[in-house]
Amino acid sequence: RRTRSRTDVRATTFASLEVWRETMLQRRASTALAASTASAVPSSFAGWSRARAVGLSSSSRGPDRRRRCGAPGVGAGGIARGGRARGGQCRVLKNEDEVNRTIDSILEDIKGTDSGASVPADLRARIDGNINKLIELSSRQSSPLENAALFNSYTVAYSSPGPKQKGAPAGGRFRGKMGRLLFRTTGLYQMILRPNLAKNLVSFKLFGILPGSIALVGTFVKLNAKTVKVLFERPKFTLLGQTFSFGPKSSVELETPCFYANKIRVGRGSLGSLFVFTVDEKSQRESVLREVDRTPRPYAVVVLAAIVAAALYALRFLQTKLGGAKAPMVAACVLLVATASVLVRGGIDDFNECEEDKQKAAAAAASGSSASSNGATP
């Protein structure tokens, strides 16, 4: 009996253990199945999303219509799309190929034009036409002024005067016929810096020998989504390392109708002038940034006057050595008068709004209205 009862207990124990083992195996299998199902759903969803994205970019939109928003304002083919639109979505230009062709045509045509100063009439008409075409193609571009890539140092690669404009749209009188003859241009730049600084620089060589520059520094205020008004301080003139301020303050309005980062920025003045700005190796030089930031010195005018006096004395001495010949002295006087005519008003042309002139006009209007109210004839 004892042997039989022990045998029954062992059998019952082994049966209970077998049932427990089967139960545990079933639980493990159920847990593994649930885990594999949960992990398979996200991976399938991700795979489906990737497949859908590839299908959209490669089949439905074509290789040149892929959405690429890695760099702000830069899209396929290096053209900008004005940054991200609302909701974090990247705006895609449907006419991207035509935009790229127009940009390439503009950049090719403006080569060798001396920033627009030496352009035949037919070529200027073609360039201006392409610029206006690019503006029209970019009409749906979001505000370029909101693009962080806008803040940069540019070379003024091309400028074209408007129909109602007098003088050169970039550089003022220094870029007119007489100005370019006396002040041979070596660089034409514009800097847009944070938070709201605008700086223009014309570097030159006076008589093709003496290095110098003229700089305008100011701040801009935003008028609308694409237009700013720049309030410039007095021009800064530098010659032989001597910098001084002269001329009146001025202000201009400039629209940026389209901007394509790393390729081209188009500007349009209030009188219809057109500008093409590009970023190149020259505009990024430290020497350019240092030149535009020169500080005027109190005695710079005295130093330059002494240099001019010394030059005239040398010419006078040369005249006596040549037996009283007047040609050198006459030539020197003509050059001085011509140079002074360019420097009048700081080289600013009439199309710029001169702050002093506006103040005088406002004062004259106020005095005129006062006289009229008193019964006098203004």
Side-chain angles (χ1 to χ4, degrees):
R1 288 179 181 177
R2 289 179 180 177
T3 303
R4 185 177 299 174
S5 62
R6 290 176 179 175
T7 302
D8 294 339
V9 171
R10 289 175 180 174
T12 302
T13 302
F14 287 143
S16 299
L17 290 173
E18 187 67 21
V19 171
W20 178 82
R21 189 175 70 85
E22 291 294 335
T23 303
M24 294 302 296
L25 289 176
Q26 290 179 2
R27 288 181 179 178
R28 290 179 180 178
S30 300
T31 303
L33 179 61
S36 63
T37 303
S39 62
V41 171
S43 62
S44 300
F45 179 77
W48 174 81
S49 300
R50 286 193 297 269
R52 184 175 180 273
V54 171
L56 283 175
S57 62
S58 60
S59 3
S60 63
R61 292 189 177 271
D64 293 332
R65 297 291 188 272
R66 298 180 182 177
R67 293 173 178 257
R68 295 189 291 179
C69 302
V74 182
I79 74 166
R81 301 183 177 129
R84 291 182 179 271
R86 294 181 179 178
Q89 297 180 352
C90 183
R91 300 184 62 177
V92 179
L93 291 175
K94 296 181 180 180
N95 51 4
E96 184 176 316
D97 293 336
E98 188 174 4
V99 168
N100 274 325
R101 287 194 298 268
T102 305
I103 292 176
D104 293 339
S105 178
I106 293 172
L107 296 179
E108 182 64 28
D109 288 341
I110 63 177
K111 291 180 179 178
T113 62
D114 191 16
S115 298
S118 302
V119 188
D122 56 343
L123 180 57
R124 186 180 296 278
R126 186 171 72 201
I127 296 174
D128 292 355
N130 282 329
I131 293 175
N132 289 319
K133 177 183 177 182
L134 181 62
I135 293 174
E136 183 179 354
L137 292 173
S138 310
S139 59
R140 299 185 61 183
Q141 189 182 49
S142 57
S143 173
L145 301 181
E146 303 297 332
N147 196 327
L150 184 71
F151 295 92
N152 210 333
S153 179
Y154 300 89
T155 291
V156 185
Y158 175 81
S159 63
S160 181
K164 299 180 181 180
Q165 194 165 25
K166 300 178 182 179
R173 299 188 180 188
F174 288 91
R175 293 285 294 164
K177 293 182 179 179
M178 181 67 70
R180 284 184 286 118
L181 182 63
L182 299 174
F183 300 85
R184 185 169 61 83
T185 306
T186 57
L188 199 57
Y189 309 99
Q190 183 180 86
M191 281 135 274
I192 302 178
L193 307 175
R194 295 181 185 276
N196 63 334
L197 296 178
K199 302 179 180 182
N200 295 342
L201 178 70
V202 181
S203 59
F204 58 80
K205 287 188 176 181
L206 180 59
F207 310 137
I209 302 173
L210 306 177
S213 67
I214 184 75
L216 283 174
V217 179
T219 58
F220 62 85
V221 292
K222 185 177 177 181
L223 300 180
N224 54 49
K226 295 185 177 182
T227 306
V228 297
K229 183 171 184 177
V230 189
L231 306 174
F232 287 114
E233 297 296 327
R234 300 175 64 196
K236 296 187 298 183
F237 182 79
T238 301
L239 185 65
L240 299 175
Q242 304 298 316
T243 304
F244 61 93
S245 297
F246 74 114
K249 296 181 179 181
S250 60
S251 63
V252 295
E253 291 184 10
L254 182 65
E255 179 190 4
T256 304
C258 54
F259 170 62
Y260 296 93
N262 301 322
K263 294 198 73 173
I264 194 174
R265 176 170 71 91
V266 173
R268 182 163 55 188
S270 58
L271 296 179
S273 54
L274 298 174
F275 303 88
V276 173
F277 303 93
T278 59
V279 177
D280 56 14
E281 183 270 335
K282 289 181 64 177
S283 65
Q284 302 300 309
R285 291 177 182 174
E286 290 293 333
S287 58
V288 173
L289 301 178
R290 288 195 303 267
E291 188 70 19
V292 77
D293 289 332
R294 283 182 175 271
T295 303
R297 299 180 180 180
Y299 302 104
V301 177
V302 177
V303 174
L304 290 176
I307 294 175
V308 172
L312 291 176
Y313 180 80
L315 286 175
R316 178 62 178 173
F317 178 78
L318 180 62
Q319 182 181 5
T320 58
K321 291 295 184 182
L322 294 176
K326 298 181 180 181
M329 186 61 67
V330 172
C333 292
V334 170
L335 288 177
L336 285 177
V337 172
T339 303
S341 67
V342 176
L343 293 176
V344 171
R345 291 169 52 90
I348 297 175
D349 275 315
D350 295 335
F351 64 87
N352 288 310
E353 298 179 30
C354 175
E355 293 295 325
E356 293 182 2
D357 289 348
K358 289 192 295 183
Q359 293 175 2
K360 292 178 181 178
S367 63
S369 61
S370 176
S372 298
S373 63
N374 292 332
T377 303

